[in-house]
Amino acid sequence: MKIYIAGAGAMGCRFGVQLSEAGNDVTLLDNWEAHIQAIQQEGLKVVGDEEKTVQLPIMKPVEVEGEADLVILFTKAMQLKQMLQDIETVVGEQTRVLCLLNGLGHADVIKEYVPESNILMGVTVWTAGLKGPGTVLMQGNGTINLQSLDASQEASGREITDVLNGAGLNATYDTDVVPSIWRKACVNGTMNSGCALLDCTIGELFASESGLKIVREIIHEFVSVGIAEGVDLNEEEITNYVMDISVKAAPHYPSMHQDLVQNRRLTEIDYLNGAVNEKAKRLGISTPYCQMMTQLIHTKEDIFGIN
Ligand code: NAD
């Protein structure tokens, strides 16, 4: 299958490597000049569970020619719209577009550029990191849950699920993936923003009684807004899920900490707590914790001068 990975950061590189090794024709699309040059000149270096160098074509999105069978979107949320504009000419009538970004609201953006019948939405708990331009850290296992946005396109969604499974990516076609997308967003909306603001690990945040109170309030806000939007969410189940991950991931700094504190990069806050707060405003619900977390993260971005 001819696959473009649109956004070849940590996750895009991981998926690119696995799908290419499974025999697919994969091209990475990215705009980070140093990363492109490193991969073009020396190949993509993989570290972690395995050490190897993989030869994969990489180019800027505006340079790619020819329609893909599948595009996998792996930009950061704030880069999504620009990426969709840049690849518009190579998304044909038969091109399926799969979104596995964290956060809420992406389907509405993608629908501006891709027919609904070709869109697949999903969520993944695979992880990856970038050690620098051209070097990806791949450790551990994960899963993917996905669904065709247009329910009549289930067969097409199942075909893509098989392609992902052929690459060992543990994908499941889910007949109601939206609650899983919200559940993951809630994990990110508690741990990411809290640890980035307080400059602490997940374990440190959850060991604090006061930190835990903030976490519980954020979960409550996510669940209240999700339910008001008609998403099938259960506060106790989500709380248990978040707590379980906080134990397993206790020593780690979440990705927003890495982005904001360690690398001084913009965050996905507007697609997590910020998205919940915006939805809440439209629904007439009050979400003071999500609002404050969003404002504080933006303040920190301002202080670091990265707007
Ligand atoms: P990433 O930050 O590694 O890459 C995103 C984009 O930013 C890429 O285009 C990349 O080239 C560019 N980029 C990265 N570092 C850069 C730098 N120093 N300078 C300039 N450009 C740089 O993003 P990711 O971690 O692959 O995440 C993509 C999406 O997947 C996000 O929505 C994220 O929340 C989600 N996600 C990530 C993980 C994870 O473990 N990383 C897991 C699940 C979901």
Side-chain angles (χ1 to χ4, degrees):
M1 182 169 266
K2 187 173 172 60
I3 302 174
Y4 295 151
I5 308 281
M11 291 298 281
C13 285
R14 173 191 263 286
F15 275 56
V17 167
Q18 291 189 235
L19 287 160
S20 160
E21 288 181 341
N24 295 289
D25 172 9
V26 175
T27 302
L28 305 178
L29 306 179
D30 208 79
N31 281 308
W32 184 14
E33 196 65 58
H35 190 52
I36 295 173
Q37 284 199 5
I39 295 172
Q40 284 178 342
Q41 286 164 15
E42 293 168 45
L44 174 60
K45 294 196 173 67
V46 177
V47 296
D49 293 342
E50 265 189 283
E51 300 227 344
K52 58 190 172 187
T53 299
V54 180
Q55 301 301 330
L56 271 179
I58 181 165
M59 61 188 75
K60 293 196 172 170
V62 289
E63 292 167 354
V64 69
E65 285 176 3
E67 290 179 6
D69 301 310
L70 172 65
V71 171
I72 303 182
L73 298 166
F74 257 137
T75 61
K76 281 282 166 72
M78 48 286 183
Q79 303 164 325
L80 179 62
K81 205 174 173 72
Q82 184 64 52
M83 176 60 79
L84 287 162
Q85 282 170 12
D86 289 349
I87 61 172
E88 213 170 357
T89 57
V90 296
V91 175
E93 278 179 23
Q94 304 301 321
T95 307
R96 268 73 57 85
V97 176
L98 168 63
C99 175
L100 293 174
L101 275 64
N102 282 330
L104 303 170
H106 306 318
D108 292 337
V109 178
I110 301 168
K111 273 194 271 185
E112 290 174 34
Y113 300 91
V114 181
E116 196 165 329
S117 55
N118 292 14
I119 301 173
L120 300 150
M121 296 304 298
V123 61
T124 181
V125 296
W126 284 96
T127 61
L130 281 181
K131 302 297 275 180
T135 304
V136 60
L137 173 69
M138 292 170 48
Q139 271 173 330
N141 285 307
T143 56
I144 303 167
N145 285 63
L146 74 149
Q147 183 183 22
S148 298
L149 194 57
D150 174 348
S152 72
Q153 299 300 314
E154 182 170 335
S156 166
R158 289 194 183 274
E159 188 198 340
I160 299 303
T161 307
D162 290 344
V163 171
L164 297 169
N165 281 328
L169 284 159
N170 296 334
T172 301
Y173 188 84
D174 195 330
T175 51
D176 187 13
V177 82
V178 177
S180 301
I181 292 173
W182 274 76
R183 193 183 303 118
K184 177 88 189 285
C186 192
V187 170
N188 296 135
T190 52
M191 299 176 187
N192 276 4
S193 46
C195 294
L197 285 170
L198 297 164
D199 194 5
C200 65
T201 62
I202 293 166
E204 286 167 339
L205 176 66
F206 280 69
S208 155
E209 202 178 309
S210 180
L212 211 48
K213 176 163 168 32
I214 296 171
V215 165
R216 287 187 189 281
E217 295 286 355
I218 293 172
I219 294 172
H220 179 70
E221 291 180 1
F222 266 75
V223 172
S224 304
V225 172
I227 288 174
E229 279 217 336
V231 185
D232 183 14
L233 299 177
N234 176 298
E235 188 163 340
E236 191 184 343
E237 188 261 326
I238 294 201
T239 304
N240 291 339
Y241 184 76
V242 170
M243 294 303 164
D244 188 41
I245 293 183
S246 78
V247 173
K248 289 180 185 147
H252 296 288
Y253 289 98
S255 60
M256 195 179 289
H257 184 282
Q258 291 166 24
D259 286 338
L260 184 62
V261 181
Q262 298 172 34
N263 297 316
R264 301 287 199 262
R265 297 180 64 210
L266 283 175
T267 71
E268 294 183 302
I269 192 73
D270 285 339
Y271 306 86
L272 297 165
N273 309 68
V276 168
N277 188 50
E278 287 305 313
K279 288 173 185 291
K281 275 192 221 162
R282 289 195 288 273
L283 291 160
I285 298 175
S286 170
T287 52
Y289 280 79
C290 281
Q291 183 178 14
M292 180 63 92
M293 296 305 260
T294 305
Q295 286 174 334
L296 287 172
I297 289 284
H298 284 316
T299 305
K300 198 148 177 167
E301 291 170 344
D302 289 342
I303 290 167
F304 289 157
I306 50 173
N307 268 330

